[in-house]
Amino acid sequence: APALARDGTLAAPASVPLWRLRGGDAAAAPNLGWLSLIPPVVALSASVALRQVILALLLGVWSGALLVHRGNGLLAAARTFDSYFVDALAEREHAGVVLFTLLLGGTIGLVQKAGGGLALAALLRRFMTSARSGLGACGALCSLIFFDDYSSVLIVGTSMREAIAALGVPSERLALL
């Protein structure tokens, strides 16, 4: 049986499954096997089709909850928000990543609306005479402003997209960089 640790949390032997700690039984812990691939496929497909990442991730979580709750769509929707979503944001690290990404995205949106991205591209355009030099300038800019993996991609990608496209470089190649 699980016991309490010194800090008041549950401490269970490795042989006790997680579902049993939550008061469940063997039927409450389905063995999904290959079906566990469905939620990431749903999330990726929805992000490509809808071009809305947050909605696509939400659909991915809901499809996983739908599998866990054996096709009960209403219960899966309820658990998506009251358990999975809230519990994930309640963890300090997860909430920090979400908050940082939202703030960074908002700041980049403001800079783009104010014309900062175009000014940055215009400043570097004199060094970009060919596709190769354009990608080199983007690589240098990525290295220069790299303080986080998200920020480098968001700042350089949104700022340099039009300038690189004018050189005939496909956006996929810029994304690869």
Side-chain angles (χ1 to χ4, degrees), residues 125 128-135 162-169:
R125 190 165 283 191
M128 300 187 305
T129 56
S130 67
R132 181 179 218 139
S133 63
L135 289 172
E162 292 176 15
I164 291 296
L167 295 171
V169 178

Side-chain angles (χ1 to χ4, degrees), residues 42-135:
V42 166
L44 289 171
S45 301
S47 67
V48 170
L50 301 174
R51 297 181 154 252
Q52 295 289 325
V53 177
I54 302 296
L55 181 59
L57 290 173
L58 187 61
L59 286 172
V61 172
W62 178 77
S63 67
L66 192 64
L67 289 172
V68 169
H69 296 290
R70 294 183 166 76
N72 186 340
L74 189 59
L75 182 61
R79 292 299 166 260
T80 295
F81 291 104
D82 73 0
S83 292
Y84 307 127
F85 189 66
V86 172
D87 290 347
L89 288 179
E91 290 189 34
R92 184 177 177 88
E93 294 82 15
H94 293 177
V97 169
V98 170
L99 182 63
F100 176 76
T101 304
L102 288 173
L103 289 174
L104 184 65
T107 304
I108 290 171
L110 286 173
V111 169
Q112 289 296 103
K113 291 288 184 188
L118 294 174
L120 180 62
L123 180 69
L124 292 176
R125 190 165 283 191
R126 63 180 167 193
F127 300 109
M128 300 187 305
T129 56
S130 67
R132 181 179 218 139
S133 63
L135 289 172

